Amino acid sequence: HIVITFRTDIMTNTAKTFGSKHLKETFVLKGAIIPYKFGTSDGLFNIASALAYVQTMLHGVYIALNGRVFNYDKVIKTGEQEFSRK
């Protein structure tokens, strides 16, 4: 099981690259919409969520943000601070 902290601007592209490899591990990429330097970052919540998801999901590649988990091939970045299902 692998959790990767990643930049949200290119997270979906990286997740697709991992997904195309058909690996036998569970990968969860996690980011933060609000940067840590602003003091109210969602990063800690997102890492806790990612740690829970990586232990409970089937192997594959996922993105975890804002208490939600997305399959790598069914997510798009819809705005500066939003991800949604395709």
Side-chain angles (χ1 to χ4, degrees):
H1 305 327
I2 301 166
V3 173
I4 302 171
T5 300
F6 216 81
R7 296 175 25 198
T8 59
D9 57 337
I10 58 173
M11 186 181 295
T12 56
N13 294 336
T14 303
K16 287 177 187 171
T17 300
F18 284 138
S20 70
K21 305 294 182 193
H22 306 290
L23 302 170
K24 299 293 182 200
E25 291 86 11
T26 303
F27 289 86
V28 177
L29 283 74
K30 148 294 188 252
I33 298 299
I34 303 166
Y36 181 75
K37 67 181 176 181
F38 292 125
T40 58
S41 177
D42 56 334
L44 185 59
F45 176 76
N46 290 338
I47 191 75
S49 297
L51 290 170
Y53 291 132
V54 79
Q55 296 178 67
T56 59
M57 304 297 287
L58 297 175
H59 36 265
V61 180
Y62 305 92
I63 290 177
L65 282 167
N66 300 326
R68 298 173 67 190
V69 64
F70 303 94
N71 289 343
Y72 80 93
D73 59 345
K74 297 194 177 5
V75 64
I76 58 172
K77 187 168 183 182
T78 57
E80 191 62 32
Q81 298 185 358
E82 296 179 23
F83 283 74
S84 66
R85 298 191 197 293
K86 279 188 186 178

